[in-house]
């Protein structure tokens, strides 16, 4: 197990010290970038759903256009 995949509490108990602020910040940024990319992919998938399936989901084409018009960082 590398330091990148080990949770903070395990690092403290195994190493007897806290991870550096840089390590914590890096982990947070990687999670944020992954979330943004996942959101981007979900919106691409949503844009490809046909109208019949949208009705089954309770969405209108206007809902889809509004969601897909958002930037990747917007929830």
């Amino acid at each position: 197990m590398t330091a990148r995949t080990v949770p903070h509490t395990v690092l403290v108990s195994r190493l007897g010290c806290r991870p550096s602020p840089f390590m914590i910040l890096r982990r947070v940024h990687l999670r944020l970038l992954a979330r943004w990319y996942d959101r981007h992919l979900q919106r691409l998938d949503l844009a490809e759903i046909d109208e019949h399936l949208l009705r089954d989901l309770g969405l209108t084409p206007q809902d889809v256009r509004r969601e897909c018009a958002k930037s990747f960082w917007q929830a």
Side-chain angles (χ1 to χ4, degrees):
M1 216 189 291
T2 65
R4 265 185 251 159
T5 60
V6 177
H8 169 74
T9 53
V10 174
L11 283 175
V12 172
S13 64
R14 283 191 188 167
L15 301 176
C17 63
R18 295 176 165 255
S20 71
F22 175 74
M23 284 177 58
I24 294 170
L25 189 60
R26 180 176 176 214
R27 191 176 310 139
V28 169
H29 280 145
L30 289 176
R31 271 193 233 130
L32 181 61
L33 290 173
R35 186 180 321 141
W36 284 350
Y37 185 65
D38 186 50
R39 190 177 293 153
H40 169 71
L41 293 178
Q42 288 176 14
R43 287 180 178 150
L44 289 177
D45 290 341
L46 180 63
E48 293 179 5
I49 297 176
D50 67 7
E51 215 169 305
H52 173 72
L53 292 175
L54 287 177
R55 279 196 306 270
D56 288 347
L57 294 170
L59 297 173
T60 65
Q62 293 81 13
D63 294 333
V64 172
R65 279 194 292 276
R66 190 176 321 117
E67 184 65 29
C68 292
K70 292 180 181 179
S71 298
F72 63 88
W73 63 83
Q74 294 175 312

